[in-house]
Amino acid sequence: MGPLVARLSRGGQRLRQADRARPWVLDTAVVALVFLMFCLPDLLHGGVDDGDGDGPRRFRIAFTQLPVAGMLALQAGLVLPLLWRRRRPAAAFAAITAVFVLQWSLGAALRADVALFVALYSLALHGRLRRLPWACAAMAGAMVLVAVRVSAAVPVWDALFFLLSTATAALALGLMIRIRRAQLAGLRDRAARLEIERDQRSRLATATERTRVAREMHDIVGHNLSVIITLADAGSYATDIAPERGKEALRLIGDTGRQALGELRRVLGVLREAADGPAGGPELSPQPGIVDIGALCAKVRAAGLEVVYRTSGDVDALDDGVQLTVYRIVQEALTNTLKHAATDTRVRLAILVEDSRLTIQVQDSGPVAPSGPPNEEGHGLVGMRERAALYGGSVSAGPTGGGGWGVEAVLDLTPRSGGAR
């Protein structure tokens, strides 16, 4: 049954495609089929048998015998409107109903009357639903006319039951197919919308990941390059005065460069699919946390700044995400100090944990170095605010009363309901 159903489905799809390309072909085929099955027999045999033979009297119905020209005219009025049964279903039904009533008013019976049921089916399938009640009323009136006309042989109620049952079947078939098509169209539309939403989510996830990677790259490259530049400047001055200090600066530059290279490999490694399986993947080191801030301060001290670092509260109990956020905010704040403050600047760094609130304070004593204005807001401050916003926090930065620069970040440590951050 599987291959047969598949072939039938493919055949139906091809027929629908051909019908969409040339709809007049199907309409003409319906008219031709109705003519061959219902009109041609009347033309060949002179219409429906009127029962004037030798049968029982109660089955004899006196139908009007129409000439061939009149029969052809009525058949054309019944069948030809089916050509626009899909484009103008209400007009086709009205025209066929009018010819049907005229025919039965003349006392003639034609097999082509089946066109009225086809028109009702087409109206239910293709027409406007608000016109169906009027069509049903007109159909019922036409059926009453037929039932009264054949009452000499068939009781009126029996004839009405048969005729109205046939009309109801045509109406129900049209509505059923209409509902089925609407359901399929709704499913196709929903599938298309889901596909669009999936692509949008994919693009949004890609953009979010790019932003995260760009922020990580900025933190890594910006900080370490600032340290390297500061160490290189200090080493160039110390080479003639104190060669040992120059060698120490070069060693720190190498260590800082190797650390930056390792962090870059870690960030880029998680974005690259391992071609050789898990064994060929990059060796990843843990994300930095609060415990690494001491080493960060040591590198800043080696670059010529004086850093006083203190913590308050149970900072070790913070989860990894909070610790990484704190580390990156501190790293960016110290990097900005390296960029803009003079070499004799004193920096006070404090990380305070109080209940569900974490505060990061970074204040330097200035003065500002000629390299740039301390209040220039670039990607670093934006990145700090984005990281703090992940935990419902905020970042403020500005000049302090003593002529220096201060950064304060506040994070909300209250657990969020509905999943992890």
Side-chain angles (χ1 to χ4, degrees), residues 305-306 337 341-342 344-348 362-368 400-406:
L305 300 184
E306 181 181 354
T337 302
D344 58 348
T345 299
R346 179 186 177 92
V347 181
R348 293 191 300 274
V362 183
Q363 296 181 351
D364 62 68
S365 59
V368 177
T400 60
W405 189 262

Side-chain angles (χ1 to χ4, degrees), residues 77-101 113-124 127 131-143 167 170-171:
L78 290 170
V79 176
L80 289 181
L82 294 179
L83 287 172
W84 62 84
R85 65 184 183 87
R86 293 191 293 179
R87 289 170 294 174
R88 299 289 187 271
F93 178 81
I96 294 173
T97 303
V99 175
F100 181 88
V101 172
D113 291 339
V114 72
L116 183 63
F117 299 102
V118 177
L120 180 63
Y121 158 82
S122 301
L123 180 61
R131 294 179 177 175
L132 274 182
W134 300 100
C136 292
M139 189 74 175
M143 295 302 101
L171 179 66

